[in-house]
């Protein structure tokens, strides 16, 4: 967000307390949501739970088109609608809730750098696999993305989204990468995250930050999503401390609290998406 927009959102957000009927909107979970969107939605859910802020998860087939940015998830809080993790973090901070207030300037800069790494590597890899790997595109992405729509709209929307993603990949230099090179990028990202986490419960010792929510969203989703092959999951499974990290957050913030992550999505129970 721009500085002006950021200041405006902060001013509006600070006026009212967090309501009990706050809602988080995302695509249909069992039929429609894709790997990257599910990861982003879970990251925001984790962040709000870490802030101890109640939110009702609402699944809508047209959530992407309801969002002010065209991306999911988005939250509806009072009269405000805010989409994506970054703006949501700023909105929540304006209401007096922050996970990173205890960090010093150096730590905040480091946290932001690792969040950029996750977005630039894991999120981009997820988008590449969904839209640029032909097997995944045909078997998973096309039927799920087009699920709510009838022909010819379903065909047009898939074609449009595929074109947008491929244009993005070309702009960032990923268009010429092979699937194996993408998997290697994921492995390097996981290696960096594993080294930073070490034996700590969270990336900055004993308390979670926005980085923990973001990493959990992506890694948990990768670990519990069935794709056309297991290579992406295997890259994450090579790092035992990242697996333990995901279990720790799942158990502390999701188990026995609500049905946002159903019993079928537990790491021990396997994937939830076809």
């Amino acid at each position: 967000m721009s500085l002006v927009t950021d200041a405006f959102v902060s001013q509006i957000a600070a006026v009212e307390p967090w309501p009990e009927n706050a809602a988080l909107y995302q695509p249909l979970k069992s039929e429609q949501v894709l790997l990257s969107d599910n990861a982003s939605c879970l990251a925001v859910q984790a962040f709000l739970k870490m802030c101890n802020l109640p939110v009702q998860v609402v699944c809508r087939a047209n959530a992407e088109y309801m969002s002010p940015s065209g991306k999911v998830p988005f939250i509806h809080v009072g009269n405000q609608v805010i989409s994506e993790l970054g703006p949501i973090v700023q909105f929540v901070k304006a209401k007096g809730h922050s996970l990173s207030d205890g960090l010093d300037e150096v730590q905040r800069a480091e946290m932001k750098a690792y969040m950029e790494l996750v977005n630039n590597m894991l999120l981009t890899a997820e988008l590449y696999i969904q839209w640029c790997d032909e097997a995944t595109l045909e078997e998973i992405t096309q039927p799920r993305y087009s699920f709510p729509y009838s022909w010819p709209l379903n065909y047009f929307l898939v074609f449009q989204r595929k074109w947008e993603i491929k244009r993005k990949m070309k702009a960032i230099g990923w268009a010429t990468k092979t699937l194996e090179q993408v998997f290697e990028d994921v492995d390097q990202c996981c290696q960096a995250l594993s080294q930073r986490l070490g034996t700590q419960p969270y990336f900055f010792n004993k308390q979670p930050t926005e980085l923990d929510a973001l990493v959990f969203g992506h890694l948990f989703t990768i670990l519990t999503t069935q794709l056309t092959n297991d290579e992406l999951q295997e890259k994450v499974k090579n790092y035992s401390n990242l697996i333990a990290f995901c279990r720790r957050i799942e158990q502390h913030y999701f188990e026995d609290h609500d049905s946002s992550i159903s019993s079928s999505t537990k790491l021990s129970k396997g994937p939830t998406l076809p």
Side-chain angles (χ1 to χ4, degrees), residues 36-48:
S36 59
D37 288 340
N38 199 40
S40 298
C41 293
L42 187 55
V44 171
Q45 286 185 54
F47 168 73
L48 294 174

Side-chain angles (χ1 to χ4, degrees), residues 191-210:
Q191 182 178 7
L193 292 172
S194 177
Q195 290 176 349
R196 179 62 184 85
L197 180 64
T199 59
Q200 301 177 121
Y202 302 106
F203 283 96
F204 291 91
N205 203 4
K206 296 182 179 180
Q207 298 298 325
T209 64
E210 296 91 330

